[in-house]
Amino acid sequence: MHSNVPPFAELLRGCQSSAVHLEMRDEYAVTVEADDYARWKATGERDTDPRSEYWAPWVDLISSARARGVEVRRARIVSEPVSEYIRYEHAATDVNVLAGEQVRWLPRHQAAADIGLPANDFWLLDRRLVRWGYFAGDGTSIGHALDDDPDAVRRCAAAFEAVWLDAVPHNEYKIH
């Protein structure tokens, strides 16, 4: 992992055509979500106001990218029954969609056995740069790395597209 990885917002602002994100964990311990997640666990209420202090920076970032013609897609591979965290994530994904992201869900048991999935979550930017996300077992982020190796880019693009084809759009994925 490299400490010189630019913030994601900077990388996305440099995108010209596409940004795809593959999420494969059932639990993330994102510190900026801690208060909202705790409130959701206690009350079942989730911040879904796109103008809120929590969401506005993300909505502005994605909306700006979309206005420049950048296609933003996110695919989530999830175990079923889903974890409490995935329920929390699903409860606010409409905000991601409102911002301009296309979001799809793929139950892990429906993922084709021959998909060459990487070991880590990633963002693939303009089909030229991979931003790896590294997480500890408890879901805590432990860093990021950039990778422009053509083989890594090709494998990530292929894995994402295979997942995307099998996944269902957010508005069709029902959590039970």
Side-chain angles (χ1 to χ4, degrees):
M1 287 164 289
H2 306 282
S3 59
N4 59 351
V5 174
F8 177 74
E10 183 179 323
L11 294 170
L12 187 60
R13 281 193 284 275
C15 266
Q16 298 176 8
S17 61
S18 66
V20 301
H21 185 35
L22 183 60
E23 296 178 9
M24 299 179 284
R25 296 184 55 86
D26 289 319
E27 188 77 26
Y28 293 91
V30 182
T31 55
V32 296
E33 295 176 339
D35 291 342
D36 190 51
Y37 187 39
R39 185 180 77 233
W40 178 83
K41 287 196 307 189
T43 67
E45 295 177 12
R46 175 86 202 263
D47 177 4
T48 57
D49 180 354
R51 297 162 298 168
S52 72
E53 184 179 332
Y54 175 79
W55 281 107
W58 185 254
V59 169
D60 291 346
L61 181 67
I62 298 301
S63 298
S64 174
R66 293 291 302 130
R68 292 192 322 275
V70 175
E71 178 182 52
V72 182
R73 297 184 293 159
R74 177 188 304 258
R76 293 176 168 144
I77 301 173
V78 296
S79 298
E80 291 183 326
V82 298
S83 68
E84 188 172 40
Y85 181 84
I86 294 300
R87 287 182 181 282
Y88 163 78
E89 213 172 44
H90 189 270
T93 298
D94 287 340
V95 180
N96 296 83
V97 173
L98 176 73
E101 287 185 66
Q102 298 175 58
V103 180
R104 291 189 180 181
W105 301 81
L106 179 62
R108 195 173 312 280
H109 68 275
Q110 293 178 6
D114 62 348
I115 295 176
L117 292 174
N120 298 291
D121 290 12
F122 64 84
W123 278 93
L124 177 58
L125 307 166
D126 287 335
R127 295 184 68 93
R128 65 170 181 76
L129 182 65
V130 179
R131 179 184 181 261
W132 297 108
Y134 300 117
F135 297 89
D138 67 356
T140 304
S141 176
I142 57 174
H144 299 93
L146 297 179
D147 191 345
D148 62 359
D149 176 71
D151 288 335
V153 167
R154 187 184 78 262
R155 286 190 306 269
C156 287
F160 182 87
E161 293 306 327
V163 168
W164 190 257
L165 289 174
D166 288 342
V168 298
H170 172 65
N171 64 343
E172 294 175 23
Y173 183 69
K174 305 300 179 213
I175 291 184
H176 306 283

